Each structure stands twice: as structure tokens, then as C-alpha cells.
Amino acid sequence: MVTSIQARKRQRYHVTIKGNGEVKHVVVIANSPEQMKRLVSKLYNHIIIDDNGVTSGVISFEVTELL
């Protein structure tokens, strides 16, 4: 029996976060877009959610391969 282990291919995400009058540009290394969005939401929630608790921010990103 042959067992092969495939390494997950991580990607670089160039992320722009806009909200609450702020614009942030960050680079996130993640395995998937879902993981990237989780990290961005966790770290930049204060920009994405306004003072009333309403989601008002915008997250846009561009994906590039890691070398």
C-alpha cells in the first residue's frame, strides 16, 4: 500500500479592508479564502463592524502563489 502525503498549498492574499472611515492594506498567508476571511474578521473586526454592531466594511483581496 502506497501512502502519499500532500502538503497544503498556502497562498498569499493581498487584502484591502475598508470601513469606519479607515482603509487598511494587509498581506495574509492562508490555506484557503475561508481561512483568510476568518483571520481578517478576527484581527480587523473593529473596522468591519460599525459602532452600532452593523456590518458596514468591505473586504477585497487578490491571490498570489507563494514561491
Side-chain angles (χ1 to χ4, degrees):
M1 180 165 107
V2 176
T3 303
S4 63
I5 299 174
Q6 294 181 351
R8 286 186 160 181
K9 187 81 169 170
R10 296 187 309 166
Q11 296 179 323
R12 179 184 296 120
Y13 295 88
H14 296 271
V15 183
T16 302
I17 308 155
K18 298 178 186 176
N20 275 343
E22 293 184 57
V23 176
K24 295 278 186 180
H25 300 280
V26 297
V27 175
V28 177
I29 307 299
N31 292 323
S32 67
E34 292 80 20
Q35 184 183 31
M36 178 272 301
K37 290 176 187 176
R38 255 192 324 271
L39 288 169
V40 169
S41 295
K42 185 176 182 181
L43 297 173
Y44 297 98
N45 196 33
H46 62 283
I47 298 174
I48 300 166
I49 307 294
D50 69 7
D51 295 334
N52 298 325
V54 178
T55 302
S56 60
V58 176
I59 300 171
S60 57
F61 62 92
E62 180 181 322
V63 181
T64 58
E65 296 292 324
L66 287 174
L67 299 177

